[in-house]
Amino acid sequence: MCTITSTDQYKELLSHPVYRNERILLLGGGSNILFTKDFDGLVIKVEIKGMTIIDEDYERVLLKVNAGEAWHDLVIYCINNNWGGVENLSLIPGTTGAAPIQNIGAYGVEIKDVIEEVQVIDVSSGKIISFTREECCFGYRQSIFKEELKEKYFISSITLSLTKKNHRISINYGAIQDMLHQQNVVDVNIKSISDAVISIRKNKLPDPLLIGNAGSFFKNPTISYNQYLSIKNINPTMPYYTTENQNVKIPAGWLIEQCGWKGKRINNIGVHQHQALVLVNYGDGNGEEIFQLSQDIASSVKEKFGVTLTTEVNIL
Ligand code: EPU
């Protein structure tokens, strides 16, 4: 394993005879990956730092951010400068370079909403290429870098388009409204939204520095309207989100909780007590055990509700 702090260092590695034919795994913060075994090849941790304003006017700023910057540090930097667009994405672990791969999202906002461009490096040639937002094919926890182009490119920097005034405030999400109310916020601005999101996340989600976890382990499944009706019939209080195409998205955390998994501990691993979508490692558990637990959870959700869960975390 090695770290790189510049794109030139990557090119140097590529030209080195020892590494030229190695399989390569690019790591950001490592906060959305589960190792079930060792990786047979070269692990490169991307620590390319730096941010530059590449253009701005009265209303917007275009900020280029290198891949190795911690995502949350970037969010705080934007809030301190009164640049809007990423405040709902506060306290998400991981690096900026990893963020577009799964189109990180929380509380009604996804990174695709602010991305102007993504700069990548061709893993095999070291050549730098740019992708526009459209070319990234973003979807729910999805992008071209997680699908067709998986392992072909790694992200070296991203360019964000942020607002300097008339910020697009997004507080439709019930949990944000509740928290703003609880914190007696009268002046809703990007700072108060960020503070509210930080409080919600701290209450619900375990800090990966204290308890090993990779955030939501599964994606929220999308089911047909008919399937939704038949589950809703038996479970009238089931939460749901409507999608654009007549389908319905169901919170996987709710499905998992209904199957009795929430807070369950099996030796050194388990299901988080405040959010059933998060699997945790209390210390000495290993990746294989976590993977087995995830399969057991998915089987019981399938059996009880007929719904298939797919993983959000990258499993290696
Ligand atoms: N719920 C339960 N039981 C649980 C967990 C959730 O009943 O154990 C219910 C909640 O009561 C609520 C609904 O499910 O009605 C949704 O819960 P929550 O607001 O916690 O959000 P989520 O759908 O479980 C998603 C993202 C999170 C993101 C939050 C907020 C996915 C896979 N996860 O979780 O993202 O922070 O919304 O927007 O879409 C991540 O990707 O790692 C992540 C944490």
Side-chain angles (χ1 to χ4, degrees), residues 32 92 102 105-108 140-141 173 175 201 204-205 214-220 239 241 249 251-255 257-258 262 272-278 312:
N32 201 45
I92 295 184
Q102 60 149 339
Y107 309 104
Y140 166 59
R141 296 294 190 278
Y173 209 91
R201 291 189 79 98
K204 266 198 173 179
L205 300 166
S216 302
F217 200 91
F218 300 98
K219 290 190 204 180
N220 286 334
Y241 318 100
K249 208 192 268 179
W254 183 86
L255 295 167
E257 180 173 350
Q258 298 306 306
K262 193 169 184 172
H272 189 53
Q273 53 183 337
H274 301 309
Q275 169 48 292
L277 194 47
V278 179
E312 199 249 56

